[in-house]
């Protein structure tokens, strides 16, 4: 009988600024380079968790947010390098979130991808095309997420 014990990995969550511990950003041990922070905004926990695992595997630091308000607080407090944003969420649409981000940081608004199961939606497609926003079709796989993040994080 072989027993394999694996450590539990705690993922960063969106928390109020006064509750967030002061911890250094992860670094790549081989190069000493700080990992790029990627904000993941999705109201479905399983999607946030899946994306966080992919991002960690690819050397990024995932920052998870469950709603637009907490994601905007992160953007104001400590902007990430790029954003993966669900298009349809309760409380605030992805388009409304993008417009709020653009008002805070126009450069960050260009390092943005919408995730949607409805990428053929005319309103979403036109909005994304006119602003140069990447569309990531749900369901997605590990490779398409990796390509998308590499594209928007540069």
């Amino acid at each position: 009988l072989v027993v394999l014990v694996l450590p539990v990995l705690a993922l960063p969550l969106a928390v109020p600024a006064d509750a967030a511990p002061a911890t250094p950003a992860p670094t790549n041990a081989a190069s000493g380079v700080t990992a790029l922070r990627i904000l993941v905004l999705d109201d479905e926990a399983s999607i946030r968790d899946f994306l966080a695992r992919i991002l960690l595997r690819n050397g990024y630091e995932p920052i998870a947010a469950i709603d637009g308000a907490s994601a905007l607080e992160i953007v104001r407090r400590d902007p990430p390098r790029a954003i993966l944003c669900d298009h349809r969420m309760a409380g605030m649409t992805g388009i409304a979130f993008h417009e709020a981000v653009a008002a805070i940081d126009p450069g960050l608004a260009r390092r943005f991808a919408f995730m949607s199961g409805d990428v053929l939606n005319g309103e979403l497609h036109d909005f994304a095309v006119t602003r140069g926003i990447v569309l990531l079709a749900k369901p997605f796989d590990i490779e398409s997420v990796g390509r998308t993040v590499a594209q928007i994080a540069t």
Side-chain angles (χ1 to χ4, degrees):
L1 175 68
V2 175
V3 176
L4 180 61
V5 178
L6 299 174
V8 175
L9 177 64
L11 298 176
L13 299 176
V15 294
D18 58 347
T23 57
T27 59
N28 180 321
S31 67
V33 175
T34 301
L36 295 178
R37 298 171 64 247
I38 308 297
L39 176 60
V40 175
L41 172 55
D42 199 297
D43 54 0
E44 292 185 46
S46 61
I47 293 176
R48 286 191 314 272
D49 293 345
F50 176 71
L51 290 168
R53 285 192 296 273
I54 294 171
L55 292 169
L56 283 168
R57 177 186 291 175
N58 287 298
Y60 298 103
E61 178 188 355
I63 307 298
I66 63 171
D67 59 34
S70 60
L72 285 174
E73 180 58 33
I74 292 166
V75 169
R76 286 184 193 101
R77 184 182 72 240
D78 189 11
R81 176 63 187 165
I83 298 173
L84 294 173
C85 177
D86 189 17
H87 174 244
R88 294 184 192 256
M89 300 174 289
M92 178 183 284
T93 67
I95 289 175
F97 176 73
H98 181 271
E99 290 173 338
V101 169
I104 296 167
D105 184 342
L108 179 56
R110 289 186 291 277
R111 297 186 308 274
F112 198 101
F114 280 123
M115 304 176 293
S116 178
D118 190 18
V119 294
L120 299 178
N121 171 300
E123 177 189 11
L124 174 61
H125 182 266
D126 292 347
F127 185 87
V129 168
T130 60
R131 287 161 181 79
I133 300 169
V134 175
L135 295 175
L136 178 59
K138 288 181 179 178
F140 38 69
D141 58 26
I142 293 170
E143 290 78 22
S144 62
V145 171
R147 281 191 307 272
T148 299
V149 173
Q151 179 182 355
I152 65 174
T154 58

